[in-house]
Amino acid sequence: MYLLPKPKTIKEQDGQMLLCHSTHIVMTKEVAETEMHAAKRLQEAIRQETGLILPFSVGEVREGDLSLGIAKTLPEQTYEITIDEKGGQISGGDGAGVLYGVETFCQIVQQCGGILPCVQIQDAPDMPNRGYYFDQTRGRVLKLEELKKIADRMCRYKLNQLQLYVEHTYLFRDFSEMWRDQTPLTAEEILELDSYCRERHIELVPSLASFGHLCTLLSTKTYGDLCEMEDSWKEPFSFWNRMRYHTINVSDERSLPLIKKVIAEYMQLFSSNKFNICADETFCLGKYKSKKLAEERGVHRLYIDYVKELAQFLVENGKIPMFWGDIIWNSPELMKELPESMICLNWGYAPEQREDETRAIEQTGAVQYLCPGVCGWNQWANLIENSYKNITRMCGYAAKYHGIGVLNTDWGDFGHVNDPAFSVPGMIYGAVFSWNGEKIPFAELNRMISRIEYGDTTGNYVSHLAEICGQSVFQWREAVMYYENRCLKHELEEGEDLFRGVDQAGVDAAADALRDIYKKLLESTQAMPETKKQMQLLSVTLQGIGIWNAVGLLTESMEKTGSFDMQKGLELAEKLECWFMAYKENWRATSKEGDLHHIAEIVFWYADWMRRK
């Protein structure tokens, strides 16, 4: 029997409990008043797996019943499960503990049906804060129903904090110039999601760019002059420039009041007592308009004074400020100038991520979360094995250096072209290792996820997913950079080769591998009826990787030899456009339009380029 996250203590005993129609779900009065979601979740899971519809009851527990209660002797988020031949009992130290016990019980029912093994389980999390962070700005703006599905999955694996990264994709009342070309979240959607998350013991924490990464705000005619860089609003849209060149000018006295106004409006929508101001990757700080001030005071002083002002504003409004730690890594002693309650979000995404930054931040006495990643950005399909290595390592650092949380990130650089479905294994890795740091080998954990999340009785599905990323010879990032270099005259980094590894042998080998992977995925889905709908997504994704590999090969040939096969170009242009039509259908099934039009611009440029005359 597989259980994820793995409980701390499991004691299996002889005997079985048999569920039947007369089994009641009996709640204490406290649970009935505050935790009906947990009871309904248990009832629905049993109905789905056994066909039995168990009635609710409050008070007296009889032989054969399932009972739900809060045990004040247990710590918060802790739960205990006892199943014997006379019935089942789920006790939690608080409402969250009850819900987590229910979710574990549901996994038992999923695998055992109505014949439940006698067992005793005691469980509690290693990390009090276990989060998932989704980029809701740079590409995808998920529909509300999809965000609720994320919350449901988080609940299933005992994650308790959700953050959505926003730059411009909220419908601010006074900033229509910023969101007019977008499909932003509305106040009503956020309020509804906040309530939905609270019911599942998930804290929806606001996360808003406030320093760097203000491309859309600082590209408007009204506020463009507040950009550190001159004439930012005159620049055409660029995936690359959006990430690097839009830091607010801290030397302008209008900047802080503007950002405080944005924060003040946004914070009102959330019940959380936290607020993430981001403040990461301020690449331009002190280089253009604030250069003179930086020469006088130092770039790090400009940074910390601005962050300190925003942090104090949040503290005065009853919020715990959070920020990304990449800038302060180089001067960790500056942490002591920030409010004591401030949480440093310490990120790093390498498979062999070093621990230097974590150690340095811990030595300052600062409070920190460790923030790994699901490794999907710039990819058609996530780098699943890389994410496993990164997440296990960062969760280990969280324990070693007394972090109070793990926030597993899902960024959308270059348009968030990977479908959110590919991030599910990475999300679960984060849930598993932030709850229980005990090492589970990659292949074994993938078998467990295949069975529990996807219902794959063969246990192979996630391992097959993990093979996809290795077949992308000409990757999306390289395709974007080539387009922007040609059309927008952006300089490439010194020594950068966009066609490294793109050759006929590599493309042919990838095509064979993609066909083999697709066949194995088809075989796996025969054992997972509820997940067969994913085959449309998988088919489109694998075909797309093969097409882009061929596009890269044709482009490489033109660049390096000057030759161009017109017939191949015409055939490939049509394949690319037909594929993109199917891709757009998949996108629109889960997401608002978001940056789809910017992705389309690049796709169609390649199609037109290959139809050269």
Side-chain angles (χ1 to χ4, degrees):
M1 182 171 61
Y2 294 147
L3 298 175
L4 289 176
K6 188 176 180 180
K8 295 293 197 303
T9 303
I10 305 175
K11 296 180 180 178
E12 297 184 10
Q13 300 172 329
D14 294 334
Q16 296 171 328
M17 176 190 175
L18 304 182
L19 296 176
C20 64
H21 76 281
S22 60
T23 300
H24 280 54
I25 297 174
V26 183
M27 299 167 280
T28 61
K29 193 172 187 300
E30 185 176 4
V31 169
E33 290 175 348
T34 62
E35 304 300 330
M36 277 303 296
H37 169 73
K40 290 178 179 177
R41 168 78 176 112
L42 179 60
Q43 182 189 51
E44 178 60 18
I46 291 172
R47 185 197 66 78
Q48 287 182 347
E49 300 299 334
T50 70
L52 297 169
I53 303 174
L54 304 189
F56 292 137
S57 181
V58 177
E60 180 187 2
V61 180
R62 300 181 182 180
E63 187 172 319
D65 287 343
L66 299 175
S67 67
L68 303 180
I70 293 177
K72 298 300 184 182
T73 56
L74 295 176
E76 292 181 355
Q77 301 194 53
T78 299
Y79 70 90
E80 294 180 349
I81 296 174
T82 300
I83 303 174
D84 59 32
E85 294 177 347
K86 295 183 178 180
Q89 178 180 347
I90 302 171
S91 299
D94 57 359
V98 172
L99 180 58
Y100 299 153
V102 163
E103 290 294 351
T104 297
F105 198 99
C106 289
Q107 290 186 18
I108 296 173
V109 173
Q110 177 188 0
Q111 296 169 77
C112 301
I115 307 174
L116 305 180
C118 291
V119 66
Q120 286 187 326
I121 295 174
Q122 295 176 321
D123 201 10
D126 288 346
M127 287 289 138
N129 302 288
R130 306 169 304 281
Y132 182 64
Y133 189 94
F134 186 83
D135 191 336
Q136 186 77 344
T137 281
R138 294 182 298 180
R140 291 182 187 271
V141 181
L142 291 184
K143 298 176 181 177
L144 178 59
E145 56 266 33
E146 292 302 315
L147 293 172
K148 288 181 177 179
K149 289 178 183 177
I150 287 178
D152 286 336
R153 182 173 289 110
M154 291 175 63
C155 180
R156 191 150 63 241
Y157 298 103
K158 306 178 179 64
L159 291 169
N160 64 358
Q161 191 176 116
L162 172 62
Q163 296 193 30
L164 303 176
Y165 175 59
V166 169
E167 294 175 8
H168 55 273
T169 48
Y170 167 67
L171 200 150
F172 290 95
R173 294 192 70 178
D174 297 327
F175 297 91
S176 59
E177 194 180 359
M178 180 171 67
W179 48 251
R180 66 186 185 186
D181 193 34
Q182 300 295 323
T183 48
L185 288 167
T186 65
E188 183 177 353
E189 288 173 322
I190 291 176
L191 289 168
E192 185 173 340
L193 180 62
D194 188 82
S195 175
Y196 193 85
C197 286
R198 281 200 314 274
E199 191 176 40
R200 287 151 181 79
H201 292 279
I202 296 169
E203 182 181 11
L204 182 64
V205 177
S207 177
L208 193 65
S210 64
F211 202 168
H213 290 297
L214 291 171
C215 174
T216 308
L217 176 66
L218 298 180
S219 295
T220 62
K221 290 189 175 181
T222 302
Y223 301 105
D225 64 331
L226 293 180
C227 187
E228 175 75 11
M229 184 177 63
E230 292 284 356
D231 298 335
S232 61
W233 65 89
K234 296 180 182 180
E235 294 291 322
F237 176 83
S238 157
F239 280 118
W240 181 244
N241 282 356
R242 175 167 75 178
M243 293 167 51
R244 297 189 65 82
Y245 299 117
H246 294 88
T247 299
I248 201 163
N249 175 17
V250 298
S251 66
D252 194 308
E253 62 183 11
R254 297 171 296 165
S255 294
L256 268 169
L258 173 67
I259 298 302
K260 286 180 180 179
K261 179 182 178 181
V262 171
I263 290 173
E265 177 180 344
Y266 198 56
M267 74 166 66
Q268 304 302 319
L269 303 172
F270 299 81
S271 58
S272 172
N273 67 344
K274 301 178 183 68
F275 196 107
N276 182 3
I277 60 172
C278 296
D280 58 317
E281 296 186 334
T282 51
F283 298 118
C284 295
L285 182 63
K287 293 184 177 179
Y288 302 102
K289 293 178 182 177
S290 66
K291 183 176 182 180
K292 182 178 179 182
L293 190 61
E295 289 172 349
E296 296 172 0
R297 302 173 58 191
V299 173
H300 285 299
R301 176 50 50 189
L302 297 189
Y303 178 84
I304 201 66
D305 285 350
Y306 181 87
V307 170
K308 183 163 55 177
E309 182 75 21
L310 290 184
Q312 190 58 44
F313 174 72
L314 287 167
V315 171
E316 290 168 359
N317 282 274
K319 302 295 183 182
I320 297 172
M322 310 174 95
F323 77 119
W324 298 109
D326 55 294
I327 303 300
I328 214 164
W329 283 342
N330 295 316
S331 301
E333 70 280 358
L334 295 177
M335 282 292 305
K336 296 178 181 179
E337 298 189 33
L338 298 173
E340 288 186 8
S341 62
M342 194 156 191
I343 298 172
C344 180
L345 302 173
N346 177 13
W347 60 266
Y349 306 132
E352 308 300 329
Q353 181 66 35
R354 66 184 186 180
E355 61 187 289
D356 302 39
E357 294 83 2
T358 308
R359 185 192 307 110
I361 292 170
E362 195 264 348
Q363 288 172 350
T364 69
V367 179
Q368 65 175 315
Y369 284 14
L370 273 291
C371 305
V374 299
C375 300
W377 44 94
N378 305 330
Q379 311 290 328
W380 295 109
N382 292 40
L383 305 173
I384 290 178
E385 187 169 5
N386 281 10
S387 73
Y388 169 85
K389 292 177 180 178
N390 174 248
I391 291 165
T392 54
R393 185 172 287 258
M394 293 289 274
C395 287
Y397 293 162
K400 181 177 179 180
Y401 292 105
H402 308 102
I404 67 164
V406 170
L407 185 62
N408 192 13
T409 59
D410 191 348
W411 293 105
D413 306 19
F414 288 78
H416 215 144
V417 293
N418 60 309
D419 191 278
F422 289 111
S423 294
V424 171
M427 174 200 280
I428 299 174
Y429 296 157
V432 166
F433 294 115
S434 59
W435 181 276
N436 184 344
E438 180 183 335
K439 188 72 177 289
I440 303 175
F442 180 60
E444 181 182 345
L445 182 52
N446 286 342
R447 284 194 297 272
M448 298 170 77
I449 295 172
S450 296
R451 179 67 180 90
I452 294 172
E453 173 64 23
Y454 299 102
D456 173 21
T457 55
T458 71
N460 295 322
Y461 184 70
V462 175
S463 292
H464 298 331
L465 288 181
E467 296 179 53
I468 297 174
C469 61
Q471 311 313 319
S472 189
V473 177
F474 186 55
Q475 299 184 26
W476 174 245
R477 180 191 179 279
E478 281 61 48
V480 172
M481 294 299 289
Y482 181 78
Y483 159 78
E484 294 193 353
N485 176 254
R486 288 286 302 267
C487 297
L488 306 179
K489 308 305 179 185
H490 289 168
E491 294 292 330
L492 299 177
E493 294 184 5
E494 186 176 351
E496 184 171 12
D497 181 2
L498 300 179
F499 301 100
R500 186 180 294 111
V502 179
D503 55 40
Q504 188 68 59
V507 170
D508 290 346
D512 291 341
L514 287 166
R515 186 179 186 281
D516 182 58
I517 293 168
Y518 184 63
K519 179 182 177 183
K520 289 188 289 188
L521 287 167
L522 281 171
E523 291 170 349
S524 285
T525 55
Q526 293 304 306
M528 39 195 279
E530 293 299 316
T531 318
K532 285 184 179 179
K533 58 187 177 182
Q534 290 207 17
M535 284 313 303
Q536 175 71 10
L537 168 64
L538 294 169
S539 176
V540 171
T541 301
L542 270 65
Q543 184 188 69
I545 291 172
I547 290 172
W548 280 104
N549 287 346
V551 169
L553 183 63
L554 194 66
T555 310
E556 186 268 352
S557 175
M558 177 64 191
E559 281 292 316
K560 294 188 175 179
T561 68
S563 64
F564 186 84
D565 188 322
M566 283 294 302
Q567 186 60 36
K568 282 186 179 180
L570 293 173
E571 293 173 357
L572 198 51
E574 185 167 349
K575 283 184 179 180
L576 184 62
E577 289 163 342
C578 290
W579 164 80
F580 190 60
M581 179 61 71
Y583 177 85
K584 288 189 292 184
E585 291 177 1
N586 283 342
W587 178 290
R588 289 168 176 152
T590 62
S591 310
K592 301 183 183 186
E593 288 297 293
D595 275 342
L596 187 57
H597 61 295
H598 288 309
I599 296 169
E601 181 180 340
I602 295 172
V603 172
F604 298 149
W605 178 85
Y606 273 97
D608 292 342
W609 181 80
M610 289 186 290
R611 287 192 175 96
R612 56 180 55 214
K613 292 186 178 179

